[in-house]
């Protein structure tokens, strides 16, 4: 499929920015938390189709929240995790926690 | 930067699969929830650098959890959100909730 992280975030902007910017950061964050809860439920159930949808939902809400918070997910993810663990600076990670 | 979603997920696999697959789905999910909480704190503080790191952390843990759950984030996100809202099937979304 070859979809860049930034392209997905832009897609979420076209779909949801008008709605989520009106709802605001706090309300949109609350929805993200709700979706993370639904992902947790789906992980315990073992229905693959439902699980796929819940992963998609969490990613979509995270991207939409990033849009209204002025964050570029692709840039911040690469800045922190670009080929090394940010804690131990190794790849693979050698942290012991 | 032009990083595909699947490339980021593969990077998280190289960095963390050994650690997170040992921890298991439940334990890794608990860490994701913890990171979502830290993102919530950062959203209220207004420190841009901290906020960028917390968005990166949530995305990284979501990708690592997807790895151990056998989910391809890019595929499931496009299947559900590919250029339309999955609820109203419109772009931009016309949902009223």
């Amino acid at each position: 499929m070859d979809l860049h992280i930034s392209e997905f975030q832009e897609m979420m902007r076209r779909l949801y920015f008008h709605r989520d910017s009106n709802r605001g950061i706090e309300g949109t964050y609350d929805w993200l938390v709700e979706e993370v809860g639904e992902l947790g439920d789906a992980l315990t159930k073992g229905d693959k189709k439902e699980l796929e949808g819940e992963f998609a939902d969490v990613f979509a809400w995270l991207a939409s929240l990033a849009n209204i918070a002025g964050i570029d997910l692709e840039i911040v993810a690469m800045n922190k995790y670009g080929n090394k663990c940010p804690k131990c600076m190794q790849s693979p990670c050698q942290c012991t926690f």
Side-chain angles (χ1 to χ4, degrees), chain A:
Chain A
M1 287 207 196
D2 276 2
L3 189 73
H4 298 166
I5 297 165
S6 59
E7 289 173 322
F8 182 69
Q9 188 170 344
E10 277 310 301
M11 190 190 301
M12 292 304 99
R13 182 185 300 277
R14 288 194 299 277
L15 285 176
Y16 297 121
F17 187 80
H18 63 296
R19 183 193 71 184
D20 291 345
S21 59
N22 275 336
R23 178 189 288 117
I25 284 183
E26 198 176 325
T28 302
Y29 174 77
D30 289 346
W31 268 96
L32 172 64
V33 170
E34 178 97 9
E35 293 296 340
V36 170
E38 291 179 11
L39 173 60
D41 292 341
L43 282 165
T44 66
K45 284 189 199 162
D47 178 329
K48 190 73 184 278
K49 274 278 153 231
E50 182 183 345
L51 187 59
E52 291 174 351
E54 296 300 342
F55 267 104
D57 287 347
V58 172
F59 188 25
W61 281 92
L62 181 67
S64 192
L65 182 64
N67 280 329
I68 62 177
I71 297 288
D72 184 314
L73 273 185
E74 186 166 311
I75 290 175
V76 300
M78 281 306 291
N79 281 350
K80 186 156 187 180
Y81 287 93
N83 288 310
K84 46 63 173 110
C85 171
K87 287 205 168 64
C88 68
M89 305 302 281
Q90 305 289 312
S91 174
C93 166
Q94 308 292 331
C95 293
T96 52
F97 67 91

